Amino acid sequence: MPTTPDDQALLPRTATRRRFLTAGIAGGAVLGLGGLLTACGSSGGPGGSDGSAGSAPGGGSFPDQKSVKQGGDDYATVIEKMKGFGTDAAPGVYPRTLKHAMGETVIPARPTRVVVLDTGELDNVVALGIQPVGVVHTDGSKSLPSYLKDKAGSPAAVGTINSLNLEAIAALKPDLILGSQLRAQDQYAQLSKIAPTVFSLRPGYPWKQNFLLNASAFGLEAEARTQLDAYQAAAAAIGAKLGDKRPTITPLRFMPGRTRLYAELSFIGTILTDVPLPQPGIEQVRELAVEVSPEQIDKADADWIFYGVYGSPSSTNQDAVLGGALWKTLGAVKSGQARPVSDETWFLGLGVMAANAVLADLKGFVAPGS
């Protein structure tokens, strides 16, 4: 598997604290694993599936709110903790035992009826050519992501990311359930009584490791690695096209009750690192995101600003910000390089198919012809 940003040495917590103070002075609040993570939808889902609840994959009074443990160290070391996850069973050999966030699970035969509990797991199984029988939706949308509709089949809805319908899940008679500890730890015991259940630690930032874990349940680790290698090559091709001329990028997201500048420990942050494309200093923190108020939107300025909106724009401050005088002063806005992007891929997708869609967007905008 190619080297990922998650394999890079992590900053000690003291350094993270210093960066937090720097960002605070600059006028933003840093979001780590802890705090109210709104699903980013998305991808973070839900709400934000990015691990920020709301998940985003994680978070105010949001359509998707989930309180998670405070602790940047836990957040930043998630990939290290996942190194023992997966199975040592040979491809195609069942039963197989998978190590995961909640312990070990025996899978007696290759699963054919899988229920997925987040946007990342949905992306993962569809990327492997598997149509789930059940899915959860984000509170921002009660339909399948448009970029997956043609390949995902017609799975039944089994609740939302933060409100699972266990009866609906059981009625589908699944032989595998895929989710994460962050989202559904409290329901793990009940889910395990329904079907073999495999949980990652969290959605979002460790999306590549999550893909390999999910693939191991089907004996498709090699296929997952092939897809990750292809993604990595596509990211490198964009970087090679740019050469030394690397524009700064701000991933900006409007959500109910908050506005976020996504940082290094987010799904989109890993993609920018893989190209690599730099972010403004305020976003160069090993956290999920930095929150800014409408009066601080100038902190988002970069060579390019790509903005998404979770749910209905009317439930966020997007229109007020984009129509405001301060927005019009930003360099990216003046140069025509502030562009809307799909929230369901940039912030909610949390899988290789969404990552490839983001790369295609980046290529078209910042490296046409690559």
Side-chain angles (χ1 to χ4, degrees):
M1 176 179 174
T3 301
T4 73
D6 306 321
D7 298 323
Q8 298 173 355
L10 298 174
L11 292 176
R13 188 58 182 161
T14 51
T16 302
R17 289 296 185 192
R18 291 191 194 102
R19 285 184 170 182
F20 176 92
L21 292 173
T22 301
I25 292 172
V30 178
L31 294 181
L33 174 60
L36 291 178
L37 292 182
T38 297
C40 310
S42 152
S43 178
S49 268
D50 197 326
S52 83
S55 194
S61 270
F62 261 96
D64 220 308
Q65 184 175 7
K66 185 176 182 70
S67 177
V68 273
K69 177 183 176 184
Q70 294 280 354
D73 291 333
D74 288 343
Y75 190 83
T77 59
V78 62
I79 289 170
E80 180 68 26
K81 293 177 181 178
M82 291 184 68
K83 285 185 175 178
F85 287 7
T87 184
D88 57 6
V93 174
Y94 289 88
R96 58 179 47 209
T97 300
L98 264 67
K99 295 181 180 180
H100 58 97
M102 301 300 293
E104 295 187 351
T105 293
V106 176
I107 301 177
R110 180 169 176 170
T112 59
R113 297 182 60 80
V114 59
V115 170
V116 293
L117 306 182
D118 206 335
T119 55
E121 285 79 39
L122 174 60
D123 187 301
N124 290 344
V125 300
V126 173
L128 294 169
I130 298 161
Q131 295 183 340
V133 296
V135 301
V136 299
H137 295 302
T138 71
D139 287 336
S141 174
K142 296 301 185 287
S143 62
L144 287 173
S146 60
Y147 78 101
L148 296 177
K149 279 184 179 179
D150 292 343
K151 298 180 179 179
S154 302
V158 293
T160 65
I161 287 174
N162 292 319
S163 182
L164 304 180
N165 185 331
L166 297 179
E167 291 184 359
I169 293 173
L172 293 173
K173 300 185 183 305
D175 51 19
L176 177 66
I177 299 171
L178 297 175
S180 72
Q181 184 181 49
L182 173 64
R183 300 278 194 221
Q185 178 176 357
D186 293 345
Q187 287 79 44
Y188 178 77
Q190 294 166 285
L191 291 166
S192 294
K193 292 177 182 178
I194 297 172
T197 301
V198 174
F199 275 7
S200 65
L201 285 169
R202 58 173 295 111
Y205 170 55
W207 64 274
K208 300 173 190 177
Q209 289 72 19
N210 291 349
F211 188 26
L212 292 171
L213 175 64
N214 290 171
S216 68
F218 303 94
L220 295 174
E221 300 97 316
E223 169 62 23
R225 286 193 172 90
T226 296
Q227 292 195 41
L228 289 173
D229 286 345
Y231 153 82
Q232 205 76 31
I238 295 174
K241 171 69 174 180
L242 291 169
D244 294 333
K245 298 178 181 179
R246 307 285 173 106
T248 54
I249 308 292
T250 283
L252 167 64
R253 194 182 196 203
F254 296 102
M255 305 171 72
R258 65 197 65 193
T259 301
R260 285 180 172 174
L261 313 179
Y262 277 75
E264 294 176 6
L265 298 192
S266 66
F267 171 65
I268 185 60
T270 67
I271 296 173
L272 294 178
T273 299
D274 284 342
V275 172
L277 285 164
Q279 295 182 249
I282 190 173
E283 298 157 35
Q284 293 177 20
V285 290
R286 295 191 69 75
E287 302 287 353
L288 171 72
V290 177
E291 290 188 356
V292 294
S293 69
E295 295 75 27
Q296 299 166 332
I297 201 63
D298 57 315
K299 305 300 179 186
D301 204 7
D303 294 320
W304 286 88
I305 299 174
F306 296 108
Y307 59 91
V309 59
Y310 174 65
S312 170
S314 63
S315 67
T316 74
N317 62 18
Q318 177 183 259
D319 291 345
V321 169
L322 300 187
L326 186 56
W327 177 257
K328 295 179 176 64
T329 68
L330 304 189
V333 176
K334 290 180 177 179
S335 63
Q337 294 184 170
R339 302 295 183 87
V341 292
S342 170
D343 195 75
E344 65 182 16
T345 52
W346 279 64
F347 301 101
L348 277 174
L350 309 185
V352 69
M353 294 181 71
N356 286 329
V358 171
L359 287 182
D361 288 343
L362 288 170
K363 177 181 176 181
F365 286 121
V366 306
S370 61

